[in-house]
Amino acid sequence: MAADVDLTMERRRVSAMAGFAAVAVSLSGILVAVGLAPWFAWRTDALSNLGVATGPERLVFNGTLLLTGVLGLAFLPALRTTMRATAHRVAQLPLVVGVVAIAGVGLFPAGHPYHFPLAATGYLGFIAAPVAYGVGDFYVGARRRAAATVASGLLHLGVWVAWATLLDDALPGLAAPEFVGALLFNAWVAYTAVRVYRTGTRGRNDARAQ
């Protein structure tokens, strides 16, 4: 029995580690691709421009999105272990859709007919998932976490609204709001992965002590 519990905890921890890896790959991959592209300008370019370049940044950027998608799906089992409310479970849908869509952006770079719908779907998923999950936190009594989680999703939405209504002339490129949005979503993933990993470690130690 203890061995079965230990195996379950180990799988939970591995899934949580996939969440850590998704965050690390996503953010570092983008920054590495930017570093490999001397022509890239945060003010006027979109991150997707990296995916159609002629240099090594193209492979790095598109590969980053694909790998992030795979790792993001591997994080889902860990996230499921934290779900205690219907809204938590609802959050799975935009999360999966968003992760798959972002991987699709790596498969279908800028200029492909599928690119814009996939990119828009990805960002909408990354806004909706934390908001829905935060509502679930509210219903289970985790009020502070709920407020922070919902706020991160709404702030992500606010970044796009501000760019579209106020900053478009001064900041015509999409790269800055795209990266800020990625930071906000990845912060939520990283925090949740920490929660799951710590719970899995405590659970494993408790099982061994029995």
Side-chain angles (χ1 to χ4, degrees):
M1 181 65 178
D4 291 340
V5 172
D6 193 49
L7 181 59
T8 300
M9 295 297 179
E10 189 64 27
R11 288 173 176 167
R12 182 185 300 179
R13 292 173 66 245
V14 169
S15 182
M17 290 170 66
F20 295 137
V23 171
V25 168
S26 173
L27 298 180
S28 64
I30 290 172
L31 293 176
V32 168
V34 169
L36 291 171
W39 51 267
F40 183 86
W42 286 96
R43 180 177 173 273
T44 56
D45 280 301
L47 291 178
S48 293
N49 292 351
L50 296 164
V52 292
T54 57
E57 61 270 25
R58 177 174 184 167
L59 180 61
V60 171
F61 183 75
N62 293 332
T64 290
L65 297 184
L66 288 169
L67 183 54
T68 298
V70 172
L71 292 169
L73 291 177
F75 172 63
L76 188 59
L79 184 66
R80 283 176 176 158
T81 67
T82 70
M83 295 179 175
R84 302 291 182 268
T86 299
H88 283 152
R89 290 183 281 275
V90 169
Q92 294 177 89
L93 179 58
L95 176 65
V96 171
V97 170
V99 166
V100 171
I102 288 301
V105 171
L107 284 174
F108 303 104
H112 192 282
Y114 294 160
H115 180 81
F116 177 77
L118 285 168
T121 299
Y123 283 114
L124 287 173
F126 292 164
I127 291 169
V131 171
Y133 191 91
V135 172
D137 280 344
F138 177 83
Y139 278 108
V140 300
R143 301 295 177 83
R144 286 186 296 181
R145 189 171 71 226
T149 303
V150 172
S152 72
L154 294 180
L155 182 58
H156 188 171
L157 176 61
V159 167
W160 284 109
V161 171
W163 176 83
T165 59
L166 301 173
L167 302 175
D168 191 14
D169 292 336
L171 195 70
L174 294 172
E178 286 175 330
F179 192 69
V180 171
L183 286 174
L184 289 167
F185 179 72
N186 277 293
W188 173 66
V189 171
Y191 171 77
T192 306
V194 168
R195 286 177 54 215
V196 176
Y197 188 89
R198 287 178 175 174
T199 301
T201 300
R202 287 198 299 269
R204 183 183 64 173
N205 292 338
D206 292 344
R208 287 179 174 175
Q210 293 177 358

